[in-house]
């Protein structure tokens, strides 16, 4: 993948009470996906009369797109009446996909399958699609002190998304769609600071998530190439949360308990190879905790974790686990300041076992993805306005995967069947960054 982008912003005072802030960005991304197997003779071998499935798939896929965002907002400070933010956000995005088929795939299509939407005698194979998004939203945030130590916070956001897509699939021919959806979000939180450094809160939240433009694409169940999967609805969720943070001696502790239910959740379906909205509600319950302690002026230690359970709340798979949601997440971290310029640190993350991404009908008979532990270390150096950072990710070179599934897998010589699959994560890797701050 190649990424490039630019971000800019400004802030201006509009008097003693109001401030204007504006920011925006433009980004461009191109992703290349190669499957060399489909350029070999092995991919074209097989006799459909004895049950071997001729899997027509591209050897090269390219996704190309851009995104632009513009967001002005006004902040107001009304003293004892609290602070307010009124904002507007505009976002536009476009993406296209194209598939390239090798001579082996073209010949296989001509030999095995009758003429189809791709042209005379089934040649040449061509597929691709384009999609565009147009988003607008307006939001309002309010912090209101009620009495000494008690504060009421809340907000509201309304967004609309217009999406248009069209393309050509090697099996179904031309297709297009256009939809406009809207969603509302809001939250109300009551904060109670009963002692200095001690706070508890109770919160209700309704949130939404519109699909990203690259989630409109999946893989053709018949053709194996990228294909338009349909314009998705926004997912919504309602969450109730109780928590707080406490300062004890030189330690800072935070913890919360939450429960939520979501509708139209955007999920990848390995049985259909596309993203879709779940027709069933999904519940999530959990506990989040985190702690940070300054053992010495130079050494700080921290630890945290999440215990959670996600399951279908309705429908034929009620109470079954949601895939790709580990029940246990733990982390430990340390930072040590060697001098005023030098500091080093590290973090260790543990991710518990989780269900493979699969159709719920397979859950009871499938294994679970193994748990894994991965560690990162880093060193920071500051000099004047310069700051540099050296990071070594996966310092132990652990072999692990954050995503795995169960579905139709292509094997050698067209020996294709349902099986487990996974995407390995990066091995040990080194990153060096530098930042300069202008006065």
């Amino acid at each position: 993948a190649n990424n490039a982008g630019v971000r800019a912003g400004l802030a201006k005072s509009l008097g003693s009470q109001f401030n204007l802030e504006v920011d925006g960005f433009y980004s461009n991304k191109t992703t290349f996906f190669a499957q060399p197997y489909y350029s070999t003779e092995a991919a074209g071998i097989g006799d459909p009369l004895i049950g071997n499935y001729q899997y027509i798939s591209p050897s090269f896929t390219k996704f190309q797109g851009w995104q632009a965002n513009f967001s002005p907002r006004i902040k107001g400070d009304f003293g004892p009446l609290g602070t307010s933010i009124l904002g507007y956000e505009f976002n536009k995005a476009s993406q296209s996909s194209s598939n390239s088929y090798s001579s082996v795939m073209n010949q296989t299509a001509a030999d095995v399958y009758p003429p189809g939407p791709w042209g005379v005698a089934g040649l040449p194979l061509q597929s691709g699609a384009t999609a565009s998004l147009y988003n607008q939203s307006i939001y309002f945030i309010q912090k209101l002190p009620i009495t000494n130590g008690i504060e009421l916070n809340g907000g509201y956001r309304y967004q609309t998304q217009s999406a248009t897509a069209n393309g050509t699939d090697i099996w179904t021919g031309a297709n297009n769609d256009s939809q406009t959806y809207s969603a509302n979000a809001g939250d109300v939180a009551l904060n109670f600071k009963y002692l200095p450094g001690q706070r508890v809160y109770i919160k209700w939240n309704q949130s939404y998530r519109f699909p990203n433009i690259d989630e409109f694409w999946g893989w053709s169940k018949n053709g194996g190439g990228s294909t338009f999967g349909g314009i998705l609805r926004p997912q919504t969720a309602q969450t109730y949360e109780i928590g707080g943070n406490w300062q004890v001696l030189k330690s800072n502790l935070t913890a919360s308990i939450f429960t939520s239910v979501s509708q139209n959740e955007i999920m990848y379906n390995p049985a259909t190879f596309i993203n879709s909205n779940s027709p069933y509600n999904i519940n999530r319950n959990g506990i989040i905790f985190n702690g940070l302690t300054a053992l010495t002026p130079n050494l700080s230690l921290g630890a945290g974790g999440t215990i959670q359970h996600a399951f279908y709340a309705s429908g034929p798979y009620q109470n079954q686990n949601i895939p790709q949601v580990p029940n246990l997440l733990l982390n430990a971290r340390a930072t040590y300041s060697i001098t005023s310029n030098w500091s080093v640190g590290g973090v260790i993350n543990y991710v518990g076992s989780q269900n493979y991404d699969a159709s719920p009908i397979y859950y009871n008979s499938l294994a679970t993805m193994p748990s894994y532990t991965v560690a990162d270390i880093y060193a920071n150096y500051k000099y004047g306005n310069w700051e540099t950072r050296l990071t070594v990710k996966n310092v132990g070179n652990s072999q692990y995967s954050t995503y795995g599934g169960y579905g139709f897998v292509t094997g050698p010589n067209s020996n294709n069947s349902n099986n487990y699959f996974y995407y390995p994560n990066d091995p040990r890797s080194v990153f060096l960054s530098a930042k300069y701050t202008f006065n």
Side-chain angles (χ1 to χ4, degrees):
N2 295 326
N3 286 284
V6 61
R7 180 183 295 273
L10 63 87
K12 181 175 176 55
S13 174
L14 301 179
S16 60
Q17 287 185 313
F18 297 98
N19 287 284
L20 172 66
E21 296 181 357
V22 181
D23 63 63
F25 69 83
Y26 171 83
S27 62
N28 194 296
K29 181 179 180 180
T30 303
T31 305
F32 308 93
F33 183 68
Q35 303 179 99
Y37 168 74
Y38 296 108
S39 295
T40 68
E41 291 296 329
I45 296 175
D47 184 353
L49 297 179
I50 60 174
N52 285 348
Y53 181 73
Q54 294 294 283
Y55 200 55
I56 307 299
S57 185
S59 57
F60 186 79
T61 300
K62 178 181 179 181
F63 298 95
Q64 190 169 20
W66 60 269
Q67 183 177 187
N69 193 88
F70 174 71
S71 179
R73 55 191 172 272
I74 294 179
K75 294 183 176 181
D77 187 347
F78 303 102
L81 297 179
T83 60
S84 303
I85 301 175
L86 177 63
Y88 166 80
E89 187 169 6
F90 165 84
N91 180 277
K92 188 169 178 61
S94 178
Q95 189 176 80
S96 64
S97 72
S98 59
N99 301 297
S100 300
Y101 296 84
S102 67
S103 58
V104 171
M105 288 293 99
N106 278 285
Q107 190 59 51
T108 300
D111 292 343
V112 179
Y113 295 101
W118 51 78
V120 179
L123 294 173
L125 296 172
Q126 295 178 350
S127 63
T130 61
S132 61
L133 296 181
Y134 178 76
N135 290 279
Q136 290 191 90
S137 60
I138 187 170
Y139 60 91
F140 177 75
I141 302 172
Q142 177 69 45
K143 291 185 177 182
L144 178 64
I146 298 178
T147 62
N148 186 28
I150 299 179
E151 184 179 76
L152 181 66
N153 299 334
Y156 174 78
R157 185 183 183 104
Y158 174 77
Q159 180 172 337
T160 62
Q161 181 182 91
S162 298
T164 302
N166 58 78
T168 301
D169 185 88
I170 64 173
W171 298 97
T172 60
N175 54 74
N176 58 78
D177 195 6
S178 181
Q179 296 285 347
T180 297
Y181 293 117
S182 61
N184 297 277
D187 62 54
V188 177
L190 186 64
N191 294 282
F192 177 37
K193 298 179 181 179
Y194 56 94
L195 287 173
Q198 319 297 317
R199 179 180 73 99
V200 294
Y201 68 88
I202 183 171
K203 180 180 179 181
W204 172 85
N205 169 270
Q206 174 166 301
S207 61
Y208 63 77
R209 184 177 82 83
F210 279 87
N212 298 317
I213 194 167
D214 55 6
E215 290 179 299
F216 289 170
W217 272 266
W219 296 100
S220 170
K221 188 174 183 180
N222 295 313
S226 64
T227 185
F228 172 65
I231 295 176
L232 304 176
R233 294 178 177 271
Q235 69 179 45
T236 57
Q238 298 79 40
T239 302
Y240 297 88
E241 182 179 353
I242 298 175
N245 61 277
W246 302 269
Q247 292 182 359
V248 181
L249 299 177
K250 296 182 179 181
S251 299
N252 189 4
L253 307 175
T254 63
S256 63
I257 301 174
F258 68 88
T259 181
S260 71
V261 57
S262 64
Q263 304 85 27
N264 293 316
E265 188 154 326
I266 300 171
M267 305 176 70
Y268 175 71
N269 187 345
T272 60
F273 305 110
I274 61 174
N275 296 298
S276 59
N277 292 109
S278 172
Y280 315 118
N281 290 351
I282 294 174
N283 275 15
R284 286 178 171 83
N285 303 318
I287 300 173
I288 301 174
F289 57 93
N290 188 67
L292 181 64
T293 300
L295 291 183
T296 70
N298 291 25
L299 177 62
S300 296
L301 299 179
T306 300
I307 303 171
Q308 60 185 346
H309 182 212
F311 56 95
Y312 286 103
S314 62
Y317 310 113
Q318 188 171 357
N319 296 324
Q320 288 192 184
N321 290 342
I322 301 300
Q324 296 295 289
V325 181
N327 289 334
L328 180 61
L329 299 168
L330 297 173
N331 71 81
R333 55 201 184 275
T335 301
Y336 183 74
S337 298
I338 302 173
T339 67
S340 59
N341 301 104
W342 282 96
S343 63
V344 295
V347 59
I348 300 175
N349 289 295
Y350 170 83
V351 178
S353 61
Q354 55 193 304
N355 288 94
Y356 282 95
D357 202 359
S359 171
I361 63 176
Y362 297 127
Y363 281 5
N364 294 330
S365 60
L366 294 180
T368 56
M369 290 182 62
S371 61
Y372 62 87
T373 302
V374 61
D376 304 335
I377 59 175
Y378 61 86
N380 289 331
Y381 178 72
K382 296 181 180 180
Y383 182 78
N385 292 349
W386 282 99
E387 181 178 350
T388 59
R389 185 181 181 96
L390 176 67
T391 303
V392 182
K393 289 186 173 293
N394 191 8
V395 65
N397 205 29
S398 301
Q399 296 183 352
Y400 69 101
S401 174
T402 57
Y403 177 79
Y406 182 87
F408 191 78
V409 177
T410 303
N413 301 323
S414 297
N415 295 320
N416 312 315
S417 63
N418 283 335
N419 208 335
Y420 295 97
F421 62 88
Y422 70 96
Y423 294 93
N425 268 53
D426 291 337
R428 182 188 298 115
S429 51
V430 180
F431 298 87
L432 178 64
S433 63
K435 181 176 71 173
Y436 182 84
T437 302
F438 294 92
N439 292 328

